[in-house]
Amino acid sequence: MNIKQSELLKLEHLDVSALKTRDVPLLPVWRDGDWHMWFLTGDACLQKMQIHDIASGEYLSNGDAARSDDLGFELLNLFNQYFSYASLRSFSSALADDFGNLAVHAAKIDHLFYNRNLIDPVLLSSFISTEIEGMLVNIRSTFDLTQEIMSRFWNDHVQLIDLHSNALKKQNKLPGTFRKVIESSGKLRSKPDIIAKYLLPADVANEYVRHSEFFMRLRANRDSIVHGTKGVNHIFVDERGFAVNPCDELFSKFIWKDFHYLNANLVSLRPWLADIILSAMQACTDLIGSFGKCIQLDDKIFPGYKVFLRHSANPALATLLTAASVDRGVAEPAVFWN
C-alpha cells in the first residue's frame, strides 16, 4: 500500500519506525470507547472517517473487544502485527474469511436444531452432514493459507547468516502446501529430515512434526468427503441435540468423555466439531509462532493493540468451542443444545 511517510504519522496506533518494508493494514481501531477509521485517497494521503460502528471484519483494540461477542484469534493477531507484507495480505484476509465461514457453519447447525421440528428428519440429517463437510473444507483451508504465508515469508524475507546454508535454502524453497513439507513418497518426514531438506530452524521443524498426524487425518477426512469416497454417516436428532455414532470412522479417533454420551451408543456432535476446529487453529498458531522463537522478527507494528474479529455468527462459534474446554464445569453445559 503506497502511503506517504508523513501521512503514516496520523495513525496513532502505528509504530512507524517498526514498519520497514511491511504494509499498513488500514483496520478500524476501537480505542477508549470510540471508533477511528482511515481510508486512502487517490493522492496517497490518509483521510479520517467518522464511523459509529462496524458491521463485520477485523479491527484493532488497545483493550477489551468492542463487543462481547467479538472474538480474538491469536493467529490473526500474529499476521497483522508481524507479517503484514504486501505479498501476504491476501492470504491473511482469506484466513479471516475462513474463521467467519466457520462461524456461519456453526450458526446454521444451531438454526437447524432449533427448527428441527419443521424439517423432514432424513433431510435434516443431510443438512447437518453438508455443514460438517463444509467445516472440514474450511479447516483444511486454514492450514493451506497458513502454509502459504510461512513459505512466502521464509523464502522471500529470511536470509541465513551462513552463505552456504542460505544458498541451499534458495535451492530448496519451502513449499506452499503443508503436505509437501511433512510428507515424502507417502511417508511422514522426521524432524531431522525437514531440517536437512529446507534448512528450517529446529523449533519450526518441531511444530511441523508435532502437528503432522493431525493434518494427515484431517486431509484424509476432507479429501474422502470431497471426492465422494466417504461421507458423514447418519446424524441422529434428539431433543438435546444432534448425535453421532462414536464408532463411525470419522469420529472414532476422538477421545470421548462420559458426559459426551447421549446414551450407550450415541454421542453429541458438538465436542468433536469444537476439538477439530480448536486443534487446527492451535496448530496454525504454533507453526507461525515458531518463527518468533528462532528468527529475529521486526517489532510489532501495532504495539499495545490486539486484533479482534466481528461476525454476526460469532456467538454460535464461541458456544461451540466452549464444548472443548478442559474445564468440565465449562464444557459440560455446552456439549448439548438443550
Side-chain angles (χ1 to χ4, degrees):
M1 189 177 298
N2 190 19
I3 305 175
K4 294 177 181 178
Q5 188 74 10
S6 59
E7 290 292 297
L8 294 175
L9 297 175
K10 294 179 179 179
L11 305 178
E12 298 177 19
H13 55 288
L14 173 69
D15 183 351
V16 177
S17 65
L19 193 59
K20 299 183 180 178
T21 61
R22 292 174 289 182
D23 263 9
V24 183
L26 290 178
L27 301 177
V29 177
W30 174 253
R31 183 173 63 236
D32 303 327
D34 287 312
W35 286 104
H36 307 267
M37 182 69 185
W38 292 262
F39 67 92
L40 187 63
T41 64
D43 56 354
C45 292
L46 289 174
Q47 179 67 48
K48 190 169 185 179
M49 179 190 301
Q50 291 297 124
I51 62 172
H52 173 69
D53 205 351
I54 63 170
S56 63
E58 297 171 275
Y59 68 88
L60 293 162
S61 173
N62 65 344
D64 294 332
R67 211 166 63 186
S68 61
D69 58 0
D70 295 339
L71 301 179
F73 297 103
E74 180 58 19
L75 188 57
L76 298 180
N77 194 56
L78 287 170
F79 288 148
N80 282 286
Q81 294 280 15
Y82 296 105
F83 302 96
S84 63
Y85 298 93
S87 60
L88 307 183
R89 286 301 305 166
S90 62
F91 298 106
S92 60
S93 296
L95 191 64
D97 290 341
D98 271 345
F99 286 168
N101 289 336
L102 286 172
V104 169
H105 285 300
K108 287 167 75 176
I109 291 174
D110 284 357
H111 175 77
L112 289 169
F113 173 74
Y114 293 122
N115 291 276
R116 63 194 180 279
N117 295 326
L118 304 176
I119 306 171
D120 175 80
V122 176
L123 184 59
L124 180 58
S125 178
S126 297
F127 282 158
I128 300 303
S129 296
T130 301
E131 294 309 313
I132 293 173
E133 293 168 11
M135 276 188 161
L136 290 177
V137 170
N138 270 137
I139 293 167
R140 168 66 193 274
S141 176
T142 64
F143 269 100
D144 293 339
L145 292 168
T146 299
Q147 182 58 31
E148 281 283 2
I149 292 172
M150 292 189 69
S151 66
R152 289 170 184 250
F153 174 74
W154 176 255
N155 295 334
D156 301 338
H157 299 281
V158 175
Q159 297 289 326
L160 301 182
I161 296 174
D162 181 77
L163 296 180
H164 177 67
S165 296
N166 200 58
L168 290 175
K169 170 181 169 291
K170 290 181 179 179
Q171 292 173 15
N172 297 280
K173 291 185 178 296
L174 190 62
T177 63
F178 190 86
R179 182 189 64 80
K180 289 184 178 180
V181 178
I182 64 171
E183 187 184 38
S184 177
S185 302
K187 296 182 179 180
L188 292 178
R189 284 192 172 106
S190 66
K191 178 179 173 180
D193 289 341
I194 292 176
I195 294 172
K197 176 69 174 176
Y198 300 113
L199 283 297
L200 286 169
D203 284 337
V204 179
N206 185 63
E207 294 303 330
Y208 276 109
V209 171
R210 194 159 69 92
H211 296 293
S212 59
E213 289 189 8
F214 169 76
F215 171 81
M216 296 303 288
R217 189 165 66 249
L218 173 66
R219 175 176 174 264
N221 288 336
R222 179 263 186 192
D223 289 353
S224 61
I225 287 173
V226 170
H227 300 305
T229 58
K230 180 183 71 177
V232 179
N233 286 336
H234 189 75
I235 305 295
F236 299 86
V237 183
D238 183 80
E239 289 303 308
R240 295 182 64 195
F242 297 120
V244 296
N245 185 341
C247 297
D248 284 351
E249 186 176 351
L250 191 62
F251 311 111
S252 61
K253 302 294 184 182
F254 182 64
I255 300 174
W256 297 98
K257 299 178 181 179
D258 62 328
F259 61 93
H260 294 161
Y261 281 80
L262 179 66
N263 56 41
N265 301 307
L266 295 177
V267 290
S268 173
L269 175 63
R270 258 186 175 168
W272 180 84
L273 285 176
D275 179 77
I276 201 168
I277 293 171
L278 283 177
S279 294
M281 288 181 176
Q282 189 60 56
C284 293
T285 303
D286 290 344
L287 283 161
I288 200 72
S290 65
F291 274 149
K293 297 178 181 178
C294 46
I295 298 173
Q296 185 61 52
L297 300 177
D298 290 331
D299 292 338
K300 291 180 178 181
I301 61 174
F302 303 122
Y305 286 81
K306 294 181 291 186
V307 175
F308 290 92
L309 181 66
R310 175 171 295 185
H311 197 288
S312 55
N314 272 356
L317 181 60
T319 301
L320 171 62
L321 296 183
T322 303
S325 172
V326 296
D327 184 342
R328 176 167 179 160
V330 173
E332 188 165 2
V335 164
F336 291 97
W337 280 259
N338 282 339

